[in-house]
Amino acid sequence: MTQVIDRRATRFSRGAAVSLQARAGAGLRALVEQLAALPIYGLFILLIGLPLATVLAQAIMPGLFNINAPSLALDLSPLVGAFGSPRTLGSILNSIELGGIVAVTATTLGGVFAVISQRFRLPLRGLIGPVPWLVFLTPGYLKALAWVLLMAPGGYLAQLGLLPRWASDGFFGIGGLVFVHTVSLFPLSSFIIGGALAGLGSDLEDAARLGGAGPVRIWAGVMLPLLLPAIVLSMIATFAEVLSDFGLAATIAHTAGFGVLTYGIYVAASDYPLDLPMAGAQALILLTLILVVVVGDRLLRRQAPIKLISGRSRGFKTRHGGALGWVVAAVMIAIAVLALYLPLLAVMLRTITSSLGHGLEPSNFTLANLADTLSWNAPGNAALLRSLGYASVAATIAAAVALLLSARLDGASVGAQTLVTGLSMGAIAIPGIVLGFGYILVWNRLPGFSSWPLPRYGQASLLVTGYVAAALPYCLIVILSAVRQLAPSLSDAARLHGVGRLGRLVGITLPLVLLSVMTAFLLTFIRTIFELPISQLLIPVTGSPVPPYVVRLLNHDSDGPAASLSLVSMLVAGGIAGLIWLMARRFLTFGVPADGGEVNS
């Protein structure tokens, strides 16, 4: 009996020891996992968190980056001065007023576009369908250039007798800014409202129609209340986009003397004498306005949505409309012309003409602007080559880092994934002008960082780092969403066969998410070429990339070379991106054998 008790006690003690060892091993693995995630958080802090923190610190500690006598003393005088200065206060009020008006006009136009494009079978649909995407991807400063060419007192519309002088004079002010912002940002509203409209179906409309309601009453009493959350979201997103815009702020608004916050930050941080405390105060005000918008967006998204889609829902029927269909199509064509085709035509005409004043006279047509842009030693060509090089490097680094982070996060805890995703979404809302200003403070004024060999203030390395920081959140969201769809059994099987982490990443994860990696790369490549605010603040001493160079040409009345360089940049960037995508689809199989056979294990 004693021996039996001893054997049971021995087994119990062994089991307890194994249990303790298992718990200790699990705790150790959890600790290692948390420590391994620290570089991820550190990267976000270095690229985004630290620059943003320095901007906020500069606003409330104006002496922090004083070269002669740095001070940690709290001082709200820059903020008080910002609100006390008529010029700065005017910029704040102008930004809010412009954002509020455009939020209404762009949402209205985008909603109309979404309703018409989804509810009517339009003739000439091929000319209308791609318009929102093309307008959305066109850089703001190029739209500004186009409308200056069209609406100037001696512009193309005035030469054709289609624009009275009073309309031309009124364009260079809040009226023109509202118009250009509206036709530029309506695609965003169209995407948001169109997505909500697509899920409603026709059940409620049919029920209201059977109850005797007419079209006006149906839309006013049934459809608009259901679309109200999407409409409010559209207005919030549009308002934030207008607040963050720098393209129109540096062109039309600057020419008209209509000050806005983004341009005020740029002037305070770049013009001599530098006024970094005032730049920090304006940046803090801008971030506060953006934060209010983001919080409003989050609160709206938390509300329980009205769920109307079920297995019995019926899709709505598009209408031909008869003669009315042609009227509706004419309205859509007019929107497309104002938003895309007319501005592109203006840029093309200015590219192949000697001067704007001589208009469309045969003797005024020339290829000199194009020849000068494409000449090897021309400043415009050098700026384009620099932009292509910077964009290629930034896109490669951003996509590679996002892939590494995504693979690391895929095995991390839910809390770590939520934190990094939240940081990414929050970083997207940071205006580029604020991020660029933060980079100046960190790598030009912060002790220790200013002596780093790479990146270094005034060199291309810091500009590329800024590009990567701005693009990394987008890349991470795109690639992480694809990595999360991979079954854990794939990585587990490779691990059992002795394949290391790097081997699993290169041999398994990358081939299966290659489409998303390519998408992130091309998105960053195109976005970087036309990135204005970061480029404007971090111009290397070796030379300017395309966006600041175009703005400089515009501000010096060299609209011909500016139009030529912008057009060539769009064609080259689009052509390279399209060629890369076609080659990828042709030669890369994205995990599927090119011959259609089975994948060999």
Side-chain angles (χ1 to χ4, degrees), residues 273-288:
L274 300 180
D275 193 352
L276 297 183
M278 180 57 67
Q282 294 183 75
L284 177 58
I285 295 170
L286 178 60
L287 284 173
T288 301

Side-chain angles (χ1 to χ4, degrees), residues 10 13 50 73 91 96 132 141 275 340 371 409 428 460 512:
T10 302
S13 61
L50 183 59
S91 297
I96 296 174
Y141 65 85
D275 193 352
L340 180 66
L409 283 171
I428 290 175
L512 294 175

Side-chain angles (χ1 to χ4, degrees), residues 10 20 27 58 75 108 111 136 209 239 244 267 274 296 320 379 401 464 478 496 535 546 556 558 570 582:
T10 302
L20 289 174
Q58 177 68 89
D75 186 359
T108 302
F136 189 72
R209 192 177 295 111
F239 183 78
S244 304
V267 171
L274 300 180
H320 287 287
V401 171
V464 172
V478 171
L496 290 175
S535 302
V546 166
H556 289 80
S558 299
M570 289 185 64
L582 290 176

